Amino acid sequence: GVLQSWLVDERLVGSRLVVVTREGVAVGGGVGSGVVDVVQGAVWGLVRAAQAENPGRFVLVDGEVSVGVGELVSAVAGSGSGEVELALRGGGVWVPRLVAGGVLGSGPVWDPEGVVLVTGGTGGLGGVVARYLVVEEGVRHVVLSSRRGLEAPGAVELVGELEAAGARVRVVACDVAERAQVARLVEGIVAERPLTGVIHAAGIGDNGLIDALTPERLDAVLAPKSDAAWWLHEMTRGMDLAAFVLFSSAGGLVLTAGQGNYAAANVFLDALAQRRCAEGLPATSMAFGLWEVGAGLGQYLSDIDRARMA
């Protein structure tokens, strides 16, 4: 609502709105570089979309709890750098930069007796991941959750394919946006075998520019990604997981135009991964680009969506 009001107020044309958050982003480039507020992380995703759609109108500033708003705004005004994202830590100003990355570690070691849960497991990308786990990683016990369960298109065929490859597969109908349903899902798994891995690939899209978004459109996209990730975090934090993998998206970082709600949901996942790492828990947030596999949310992109991304 604040972003929309700012954009339509003719008195403010040519002005910049500084959006201030508190410990909503991690700085320093290292895994676990401070516990972040995941809710304020989502604000960064939303505002990044507003920035992409309206160049020069918004600036994001994150500060420590002890830093006053005046000091934060002064840092923006005094920098003269034109930066649109800044973080203040210990009197210094941090800005984001893309750098060449490397391989972090050798990946998880899967317990052959443990279960790996894949949310959105009967969808296109969930199926890709399930096949990889079984065929390439040798995982023997897989639970695939989705809202429609075995009624989802291709679910029965996917199960047959995975079982033929030597896995024991169970498909569970579950709306992972609902805490009670996630609790039952996890309880049902651990009643039989230890849960040793979580791959959260569930999500939906509902693209629109900032001025077209509504609370309902935000909630619809945040629920299966952000809410579900938090419930999974809550339900499994006491377990000895080999991996807790979140399907985020470059749509939270650099492809945000027209995807404000989706960007908010994905940056929430990025922040949750940082929080978990800071707490000594396993977490990986994968900021994927467009998958050219005829599956996942990419299959619903319009020509306009693809033009924005290009």
Side-chain angles (χ1 to χ4, degrees), residues 55-259:
R57 298 300 308 279
F58 299 99
V59 178
L60 277 162
V61 183
D62 189 74
E64 296 164 300
V65 173
S66 59
V67 179
V69 172
E71 186 177 346
L72 291 168
V73 176
S74 295
V76 177
S79 69
S81 62
E83 297 286 347
V84 296
E85 296 184 10
L86 306 96
L88 270 64
R89 297 291 190 275
V93 179
W94 294 74
V95 295
R97 289 293 183 268
L98 275 174
V99 297
V103 177
L104 300 177
S106 57
V109 177
W110 301 107
D111 180 352
E113 298 302 315
V115 176
V116 178
L117 167 65
V118 182
T119 70
T122 61
L125 299 187
V128 171
V129 171
R131 292 182 186 95
Y132 172 81
L133 289 170
V134 172
V135 176
E136 302 294 335
E137 294 290 326
V139 172
R140 300 295 85 180
H141 303 276
V142 181
V143 170
L144 309 177
S145 77
S146 66
R147 282 178 294 179
R148 297 175 62 182
L150 279 172
E151 294 183 1
V156 173
E157 292 79 4
L158 175 61
V159 171
E161 182 181 341
L162 298 177
E163 289 180 339
R168 181 185 175 191
V169 184
R170 185 157 62 93
V171 177
V172 179
C174 174
D175 183 352
V176 289
E178 297 292 334
R179 186 180 189 278
Q181 292 193 39
V182 175
R184 288 195 295 271
L185 172 65
V186 173
E187 289 167 0
I189 293 172
V190 299
E192 297 183 4
R193 290 180 176 273
L195 177 61
T196 54
V198 172
I199 316 290
H200 180 39
I204 63 171
D206 183 14
N207 291 354
L209 297 174
I210 290 296
D211 61 4
L213 295 182
T214 63
E216 292 75 21
R217 294 183 71 180
L218 278 168
D219 288 344
V221 172
L222 286 168
K225 259 191 177 291
S226 306
D227 292 7
W230 186 262
W231 306 143
L232 290 164
H233 163 67
E234 269 194 351
M235 306 299 171
T236 64
R237 65 189 310 165
M239 299 179 187
D240 185 20
L241 298 182
F244 187 95
V245 180
L246 302 165
F247 267 47
S248 181
S249 170
L253 300 169
V254 295
L255 302 174
T256 51
Q259 301 187 88

